[in-house]
Structure formats: structure tokens, C-alpha cells
Amino acid sequence: MFGFPLLPEQASAIASKVDALMLFEVGVSAFFLTMIPLAILGFCIRYRRGNRVDRSNPPTHSQSMEIIWIVGPMALSLVMYVWATRLFFEQYERVPGASRIDVVGKQWMWYVQHPEGRSETNELHVPVGRPVRLNMTSQDVIHSFYLPEFRIKQDVLPGRYTELPFTPNKVGEFNLFCAEYCGTNHSIMIGKIVVMEPEDYEAWLAEKGAGPSQADEGEKLFVQHHCAGCHRGSQTVHAPRLEGVYNKPVPIQAGDEIRFEVADEAYIRDSILLPKEKVVAGYEPIMPSYKDQISEQDLLKIIAYIKSLANREISQ
Ligand code: HEC
Ligand SMILES: [Cu+2]
């Protein structure tokens, strides 16, 4: 309208669907927002003092009206509820084969780590048309990862991993904002997302030379922090091997009982920071806690390494 866009561009697979739902909700609101004041105004004028109108037998009850105003809004609300819920599940659905990219928010910047090894700040490069899953955490306070052109937003929380799946469908540069007030310089916590043709993306990843991958860096840290001393089949310490553990159910000793938990990113993170919380059945709780000793970035690298072990054979 007059060269002033009312809505940002639609740059992800889900964007047009989010807009359709929003337009519907705005339409319903606008309808009632006009009809109710119009009715009030109409009655005010018609029944103003001194106007000669029939005021005998004012209706005190109308069953049909009651049915309309109960069933109508309920049906409309249910349409919005079902529509929005389906869209929500569609957006957060885990697409197999999505590439996982790690994001750490901190006052006041975004740090992004690609599994291939390249990292960047306040920028996120992704290939067009391929599903991506961001695995995000914060080093300090609550931030929120907001891509307006993609119509997606997700809180980024300290001490927890949240995920944000999406599929970009337009090549170009788009906005990245922090959408949760996070302190003095919150307003400069902005960046951009660069959507590239897959070939260009591959070239971009390799631009700085084939450095170590995220998992390789994680392996270095695994040795540096002495994890390897216990977890690589030590003669003196009885600790579980980590090959193949990722995304598999692990038996946890809970009192006298054993329960199973899937070793996802959050589980591995907890195992490193709070090892006494969940002790693997059959082992002593001798693993030291690494709380406040390993940065969020390094934790993600170690997790990437453990994840990469999932496909390796156990070798003694
Ligand atoms: C002193 C020996 C020791 C060190 C050092 C150690 N661990 Fe452990 N770790 C254990 C033992 C024993 C267990 C099993 C008992 C438990 O769950 O606490 C374990 C459990 C785990 C688990 C859960 C495994 C499963 O099968 O569910 C993970 C993941 C893990 N450690 C990662 C690490 C990482 C990463 C480091 C280094 C930052 C590390 N550990 C350092 C002894 C150790
Ligand atoms: Cu922020």
C-alpha cells in the first residue's frame, strides 16, 4: 500500500499459512469490532429521548438470539483453535534429514555453529529449500530468536535446549531479531539470515578451508576435559562407552527401579552438568560435575562429538 508493505516478505514454507490464519483472525475481530459499535450507535439514535418509537412490550427473552450468540462465537473460536494447533504441530514436526545447526544467544549477540565446522556471529547462512533444525540455548538470560520473514519465533533459554525447525524457500537476506527484552543493548541484538542456493552454501561452508568439523573440535575437548580417561574403556574406572548412545534409550537408576530415557541433546547436557541427577544403571555416581566449567559453545561441540559416535563401532 503506497509502497509501504503491511506484511514482511514470505520467505519460508510456513509463512503463507501463518499469514492466512492471521488474516482470518484479524477478519473475525474486525467484523465484530465494526458490528457491535454499529448496533450500539443504531439503537442510541433510534431510541434517543424524544424520538417517537414503539416502546411497549420490550423483548425480555429470545431463545434464538441466545443460541446464536453461544454457538456462533464457540464455532468461530474452535475453528481458530483447530487451525492454529494443526499449524503449530506442522511447524514443529521433526523432518527426518533436517540439518542441525547450533545457536547460542548471549548478551548481546547470536553465535551460530555449523556441524561442518564453520561458525558465525549475528548471521545465519542456510541453503534454500532444505529443512533446517536450530538447536538453541542461551549463555545468560532469556532471548528470543525471531525471523519475521519466516513467520517464526522461539524463546532461547539458559540451561535448556529449544528447537526451531523451518524450511527457507526464497534466496536472499532477511532479518534476525532478538524478540525478548534482554538488557541494555537488547535493541542491537540483531542480525541477518542469508538464504543461498545449495551450491553457494556448500562453497560458503568450505570458504575458510576445510577446518575441523564441530564433532572433531568436540573430540579435542573430550580429551582436554579428561572425559576420555574414563569413557574410552579405562582399566581402572568403570564408565559407560558413549558409542551408539545418542538417541537410544538409556537405563537410569531411580531408587530401586530402572526407568529408560532417550539420550537426546538435553540428556547428554544434563549428564555432563548434573551427573548425579541421572545415574546410568550398573554404574557408580563417580562422574564429576562440569557445571560452570564448560561454555555453552563447547558443550554443543562435545554433544556433536558424542552424536557422531552413534554410528561408530565400539573398538577396544
Ligand atoms: C571420573 C570418570 C568420569 C569422567 C572424568 C567423566 N565421566 Fe561421564 N560418566 C562416568 C560414569 C561412571 C558414568 C555413569 C554413571 C552416571 O551416569 O553418572 C558417566 C556417564 C556419562 C554419560 C551418560 C552415559 C549414558 O550411557 O547414558 C555421558 C553422556 C557422559 N558421562 C559424558 C561425559 C563427558 C562429556 C565427560 C567430560 C566432560 C565425562 N563424561 C567425564 C564417569 C566419568
Ligand atoms: Cu536478546
Side-chain angles (χ1 to χ4, degrees), residues 26-168:
V26 170
V28 168
S29 308
F31 174 76
F32 287 106
L33 199 67
T34 29
M35 293 317 277
I36 294 172
L38 275 184
I40 294 175
L41 203 66
F43 286 124
C44 281
I45 293 171
R46 185 174 157 80
Y47 292 102
R48 70 185 185 278
R49 193 159 70 165
N51 200 24
R52 292 164 57 103
V53 280
D54 177 16
R55 293 172 206 263
S56 61
N57 301 321
T60 57
H61 188 82
S62 165
Q63 202 165 20
S64 50
M65 286 282 279
E66 260 181 55
I67 291 174
I68 289 174
W69 77 50
I70 290 174
V71 174
M74 189 170 82
L76 278 174
S77 319
L78 280 177
V79 168
M80 290 182 204
Y81 169 70
V82 173
W83 188 345
T85 309
R86 293 180 62 148
L87 198 56
F88 180 86
F89 280 106
E90 185 183 331
Q91 197 219 310
Y92 280 91
E93 195 184 6
R94 284 196 161 195
V95 194
S99 46
R100 181 193 115 166
I101 301 176
D102 288 327
V103 173
V104 179
K106 50 185 153 185
Q107 284 166 325
W108 287 276
M109 56 179 277
W110 296 107
Y111 169 87
V112 175
Q113 168 80 59
H114 296 258
E116 293 81 1
R118 190 154 180 188
S119 64
E120 46 186 337
T121 47
N122 293 337
E123 278 188 18
L124 169 60
H125 287 72
V126 283
V128 69
R130 275 198 224 151
V132 172
R133 178 165 73 90
L134 300 182
N135 179 52
M136 311 191 290
T137 190
S138 163
Q139 196 172 293
D140 34 53
V141 299
I142 299 178
H143 302 278
S144 178
F145 196 90
Y146 178 33
L147 301 174
E149 282 88 355
F150 288 42
R151 306 291 191 276
I152 50 171
K153 184 186 327 180
Q154 171 64 54
D155 273 9
V156 177
L157 308 164
R160 219 202 284 184
Y161 290 129
T162 50
E163 51 181 71
L164 186 60
F166 61 89
T167 308

Side-chain angles (χ1 to χ4, degrees), residues 104 137-139 159 161 269 294-301:
V104 179
T137 190
S138 163
Q139 196 172 293
Y161 290 129
R269 181 197 158 86
I294 306 183
S295 71
E296 293 297 341
Q297 274 120 297
D298 286 357
L299 275 173
L300 287 164
K301 287 176 185 164

Side-chain angles (χ1 to χ4, degrees), residues 241-244 309 311-316:
R241 301 291 305 227
L242 300 177
E243 285 86 347
L309 289 175
N311 309 321
R312 297 190 203 176
E313 290 291 307
I314 295 189
S315 53
Q316 285 300 319

